[in-house]
Amino acid sequence: MEELRERVWHGSLNVEIMLSDSIVVPNTPLSEKCYHIVVLRESFLALYLPAIVRKLGNNVIVTYENPYKQWWFEYDGVPVPWEYPCGVLFDFLCNSSTTSTGKEDDQRLQMWKLKLCHGNKYPPGILPLVDGLRQVKDHWKHQWKQACFILNGSAKRIMSLSIPDFEAFWQSLISRHQPDYIKVREKLLTPNKTKHIPIRVWTADASFLQPSIPANSDTMTLFDVMTSMDIKLQENNRAIIQGIVICSDEDIINLYDLFASIDGFLYVVIK
Amino acid sequence: MNSGVLLSESETDTSEVSGRQSELISGDESIKGKLEEFSAKLNELRLADGNSDGGDEEESLSPDTKSQREESSENSENVSRSTSRPPLTSSIVSSVEREQLKSQVKVKIRLQPIGAIPQIQPRVCQISAHQQFLALTRFLCKRLKRKHIHCYINNAFAPSLDQNIGDLWTQFKVNDELIVSYCETVAFG
């Protein structure tokens, strides 16, 4: 159990960041406009912006105020939101190799190829990141408040956290110190008294759903949850959590316990 | 604060549901465009009282009125047809119906001001359940003539702007109303 949690926490993605053609200085060699990094699945893309902009920012034709404002990523021409954990975005937008589990293809290095863009006008679908790290933190905090409300019927538990506890919670994401994260997270959960499960589902047709899943029933499986949402799991319509294809008879409370993301929600991608 | 993002003032497009459009645009805006948008927004929300029996299936006042009307007429046919069908077929039809109905259902929102910001009349509005929370934030900005507004649910948290209002209502409603508080500054940090 602990080992699994640790693996989820350390799960990573290989990402190639390329400067968008519209902002790159002409004739920049490939090595100067491309950056390869390992991004943690349980983190936010926006947290990597300063490092990326520091590396690639010398080769852009635009002037920029700071490494957050007016920057965004695109994958395959589609803007990538910053407010969801990286792993979920990757599973939803890209991950195709989960289909070939056990095959030789799996040995191939899987790379998430993102374009780094900059502009005064954000494309539709992107929440403007105007306030840098503070905005990321605020957003994350309110996601947790929402998750806490769903879990316990009120946001009391998170509101009554002391300031040092809350700061340690946020810092655990920055410094990647899992014990600190778990310590505070446990204060927000009440085992056996959970009211509802915070779960978000991204369906194949790109709808984003947040069903109300009561936790008081004896056992509720992933299959039950999907059935309640009129989603049929089959060969080409599978549930992916943390990059793994999940059996539909798994207990949803266990799944939440093991695989919930850093914003308090369990993300299920259907594809 | 996510719900306090700078919302576009120059958008004249009323079909905001189609995508998460939270660009930072500032600029001039023609009075005509403004009026059009305002009237569209007013159409979107309606008084909770008296209208609830009007039948959500027949009446749809959301931005994509035309297509929804088509759907609704189709939908009411399906309802009558499905009742006489054998169980297997009707279950398939009913899931399609449910989808269609879902897109037309309206939910009640109770709007509560925090601080010096004016109270919006009516206090309880109805909004299509399939809209994103962004639509409500935009409506409030326009109605209150503010550039930014901070919205909270149950005086506790700010939802993501792309969250579905129907899902929020189902999860956080109190007496069948989703309580949305709004404020000019950060109220629940």
Side-chain angles (χ1 to χ4, degrees):
Chain A
M1 193 84 161
E2 285 309 309
E3 195 198 332
L4 261 176
R5 277 212 193 105
E6 213 177 309
R7 277 170 176 251
V8 169
W9 179 261
H10 292 295
S12 61
L13 302 166
N14 301 306
V15 181
E16 178 188 289
I17 315 271
M18 182 80 83
L19 280 174
S20 158
D21 292 341
S22 57
I23 57 166
V24 68
V25 174
N27 303 323
T28 306
L30 187 66
S31 59
E32 296 290 310
K33 60 178 179 180
C34 180
Y35 187 29
H36 290 102
I37 50 169
V38 173
V39 162
L40 290 165
R41 292 183 60 96
E42 285 297 293
S43 185
F44 297 106
L45 269 179
L47 300 181
Y48 294 91
L49 266 172
I52 295 166
V53 172
R54 205 182 311 131
K55 169 81 181 170
L56 299 174
N58 294 331
N59 302 309
V60 295
I61 49 173
V62 290
T63 47
Y64 54 91
E65 269 178 64
N66 63 50
Y68 296 103
K69 206 172 173 179
Q70 294 168 343
W71 294 98
W72 72 91
F73 295 103
E74 283 185 3
Y75 171 71
D76 237 1
V78 181
V80 181
W82 55 264
E83 65 267 33
Y84 298 104
C86 304
V88 183
L89 292 169
F90 174 74
D91 291 344
F92 176 60
L93 294 167
C94 179
N95 197 2
S96 55
S97 82
T98 37
T99 49
S100 54
T101 318
K103 288 185 186 167
E104 273 178 29
D105 297 5
D106 272 13
Q107 303 304 318
R108 239 172 353 123
L109 187 67
Q110 201 178 11
M111 187 74 81
W112 191 18
K113 292 182 176 175
L114 294 176
K115 282 253 158 74
L116 180 66
C117 308
H118 183 277
N120 294 330
K121 197 182 163 187
Y122 284 90
I126 286 286
L127 198 64
L129 190 54
V130 290
D131 206 8
L133 199 57
R134 217 182 84 183
Q135 194 182 346
V136 182
K137 184 181 173 185
D138 274 346
H139 185 272
W140 167 81
K141 178 166 67 183
H142 279 274
Q143 293 300 300
W144 255 112
K145 279 190 191 176
Q146 190 176 159
C148 188
F149 205 110
I150 296 170
L151 285 163
N152 308 308
S154 80
K156 227 181 200 168
R157 275 177 176 263
I158 193 160
M159 296 306 279
S160 52
L161 278 184
S162 67
I163 292 175
D165 268 354
F166 193 80
E167 276 308 307
F169 199 29
W170 170 246
Q171 282 306 323
S172 68
L173 296 185
I174 308 289
S175 59
R176 305 306 300 176
H177 194 252
Q178 198 188 13
D180 279 357
Y181 175 79
I182 291 176
K183 204 171 108 192
V184 185
R185 184 185 182 259
E186 276 173 0
K187 293 186 182 180
L188 305 176
L189 308 174
T190 23
N192 308 323
K193 280 189 184 164
T194 307
K195 294 199 168 151
H196 289 85
I197 305 286
I199 173 169
R200 285 177 172 164
V201 181
W202 249 316
T203 61
D205 63 352
S207 337
F208 175 65
L209 307 165
Q210 190 174 311
S212 183
I213 306 296
N216 48 15
S217 53
D218 294 337
T219 42
M220 195 168 198
T221 62
L222 183 63
F223 176 80
D224 298 332
V225 173
M226 291 300 135
T227 311
S228 73
M229 298 170 70
D230 275 341
I231 294 174
K232 272 190 190 152
L233 293 177
Q234 44 190 291
E235 192 56 35
N236 52 0
N237 213 28
R238 297 151 321 142
I240 297 169
I241 300 176
Q242 296 283 6
I244 310 158
V245 178
I246 302 286
C247 275
S248 62
D249 54 3
E250 290 289 341
D251 179 32
I252 198 75
I253 297 176
N254 279 343
L255 287 175
Y256 178 80
D257 218 28
L258 282 173
F259 297 124
S261 281
I262 43 168
D263 57 2
F265 282 86
L266 174 70
Y267 287 88
V268 185
V269 174
I270 309 291
K271 64 195 294 190
Chain B
M1 196 70 42
N2 59 335
S3 62
V5 287
L6 310 170
L7 293 165
S8 156
E9 283 286 312
S10 60
E11 285 278 322
T12 49
D13 175 23
T14 52
S15 61
E16 71 280 28
V17 214
S18 56
R20 299 160 53 209
Q21 300 171 359
S22 44
E23 311 95 307
L24 269 174
I25 314 166
S26 62
D28 295 331
E29 172 180 63
S30 73
I31 294 167
K32 195 186 161 200
K34 210 171 189 176
L35 280 172
E36 274 172 14
E37 192 168 7
F38 193 48
S39 69
K41 290 291 178 194
L42 278 177
N43 282 344
E44 225 175 283
L45 295 158
R46 54 179 174 152
L47 278 169
D49 315 330
N51 276 340
S52 47
D53 297 331
D56 286 330
E57 281 175 42
E58 292 149 25
E59 215 173 84
S60 91
L61 296 170
S62 44
D64 39 346
T65 322
K66 203 178 161 188
S67 63
Q68 287 210 354
R69 273 203 191 124
E70 282 164 12
E71 270 179 22
S72 66
S73 59
E74 223 175 82
N75 182 39
S76 49
E77 275 170 36
N78 277 345
V79 174
S80 55
R81 253 186 280 148
S82 66
T83 47
S84 58
R85 281 185 181 192
L88 185 69
T89 335
S90 73
S91 75
I92 298 164
V93 174
S94 72
S95 77
V96 177
E97 272 166 19
R98 226 176 299 158
E99 276 304 303
Q100 289 182 346
L101 275 171
K102 212 171 135 192
S103 68
Q104 289 163 44
V105 165
K106 287 177 188 278
V107 291
K108 282 186 191 172
I109 312 277
R110 179 171 288 273
L111 298 164
Q112 285 181 343
I114 305 175
I117 205 159
Q119 166 76 61
I120 277 187
Q121 294 298 341
R123 282 163 191 252
V124 182
C125 302
Q126 286 203 0
I127 191 164
S128 306
H130 73 283
Q131 303 237 45
Q132 291 180 337
F133 194 74
L134 174 65
L136 183 65
T137 333
R138 275 199 174 157
F139 167 76
L140 288 170
C141 282
K142 292 271 149 52
R143 196 61 197 271
L144 297 160
K145 299 190 178 71
R146 299 292 197 280
K147 240 184 157 184
H148 326 250
I149 209 151
H150 297 265
C151 291
Y152 300 93
I153 287 180
N154 286 343
N155 285 339
F157 64 88
S160 293
L161 292 181
D162 59 346
Q163 281 191 257
N164 179 284
I165 289 185
D167 285 348
L168 287 170
W169 182 84
T170 315
Q171 238 164 2
F172 304 110
K173 65 184 174 188
V174 179
N175 297 329
D176 279 345
E177 291 172 351
L178 180 67
I179 299 172
V180 177
S181 317
Y182 55 95
C183 190
E184 257 179 300
T185 54
V186 174
F188 304 99

